[in-house]
């Protein structure tokens, strides 16, 4: 294809490397790669609103940026699912939620402010978001790896054959990152 007198369109890699691009849907100019995040576990049916982390309650329902409790018996933590991107040093991050046992949830809470934990797991959990571009991800068994220095826990899938696990193992193309953005409402105009 020829571009008569026009500048070559920006490549996906250029967009992710920091060339600004005007988003056709959210009206922002995105610069470089940014992370996507699930606001809450898919099981959350309460208001789309965060309470402060410090207000954590174990009974009933609770949602903050990092912690979630449903019905006083299901405990969730906000994690990061990292995916390498071909051609970039920085990884793409998906903010996602996993369940934890009550005991591990307590260990996480106890160490949260200091960023050091009684043990570093990994802790078992169930993946608690649907990431449609990667097939069926909800309730996949997963590992939650607590990180030191107040970084969010990193999550890996138990099933290495899963599409999401292989994306993490092999990386994805910059074009695929733009497809993910589009699936979540950010479109290159
Ligand atoms: Zn956008």
């Amino acid at each position: 294809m020829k571009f008569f007198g026009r500048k070559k369109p920006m490549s996906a890699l250029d967009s992710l490397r920091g060339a600004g691009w005007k988003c056709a849907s959210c009206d922002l100019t995105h610069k470089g790669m940014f992370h996507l995040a699930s606001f809450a576990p898919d099981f959350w049916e309460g208001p789309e609103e965060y309470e402060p982390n410090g207000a954590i309650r174990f009974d009933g329902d609770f949602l903050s940026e990092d912690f979630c409790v449903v019905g006083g018996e299901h405990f969730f933590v906000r994690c990061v699912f990292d995916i390498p991107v071909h051609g970039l040093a920085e990884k793409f991050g998906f903010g996602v939620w996993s369940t934890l046992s009550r005991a591990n949830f307590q260990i996480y809470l106890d160490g949260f402010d200091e960023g050091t934990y009684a043990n570093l797991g990994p802790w078992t959990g169930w993946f608690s978001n649907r990431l449609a571009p990667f097939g069926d991800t909800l309730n996949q068994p997963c590992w939650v790896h607590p990180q030191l220095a107040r970084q969010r826990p990193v999550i890996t899938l138990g099933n290495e054959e899963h599409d999401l696990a292989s994306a993490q193992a092999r990386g994805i193309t910059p074009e695929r990152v733009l497809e993910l953005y589009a699936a979540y409402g950010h479109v290159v105009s």
Side-chain angles (χ1 to χ4, degrees), residues 1 22 29 35 39 51 59 75 82 92 107 115 125 163 180:
M1 200 211 278
K22 182 87 177 71
T29 296
H35 292 187
F39 186 79
E51 295 190 51
D59 54 332
F75 304 95
D82 284 323
F92 170 72
I107 292 173
D163 279 357
L180 294 175

Side-chain angles (χ1 to χ4, degrees), residues 72-147:
E73 55 178 349
H74 301 288
F75 304 95
F76 305 85
V77 292
R78 163 94 176 255
C79 305
V80 184
F81 193 91
D82 284 323
I83 305 177
V85 180
H86 303 161
L88 290 179
E90 189 198 342
K91 289 179 180 174
F92 170 72
F94 234 119
V96 293
W97 295 76
S98 172
T99 64
L100 283 183
S101 67
R102 187 184 174 114
N104 287 335
F105 187 72
Q106 185 67 60
I107 292 173
Y108 185 59
L109 285 178
D110 289 345
F112 188 80
D113 286 337
E114 295 281 316
T116 59
Y117 303 96
N119 73 66
L120 287 176
W123 301 326
T124 56
W126 300 98
F127 201 92
S128 301
N129 293 108
R130 272 186 200 87
L131 303 184
F134 294 100
D136 186 11
T137 58
L138 191 67
N139 286 331
Q140 285 288 322
C142 62
W143 295 103
V144 173
H145 308 257
Q147 304 291 301

Side-chain angles (χ1 to χ4, degrees), residues 10 18-24 26-32 34 186 189:
M10 199 161 54
W21 50 280
K22 182 87 177 71
C23 185
C26 79
D27 240 20
L28 295 173
T29 296
H30 295 298
K31 235 182 176 350
F34 57 94
H186 303 282
S189 55

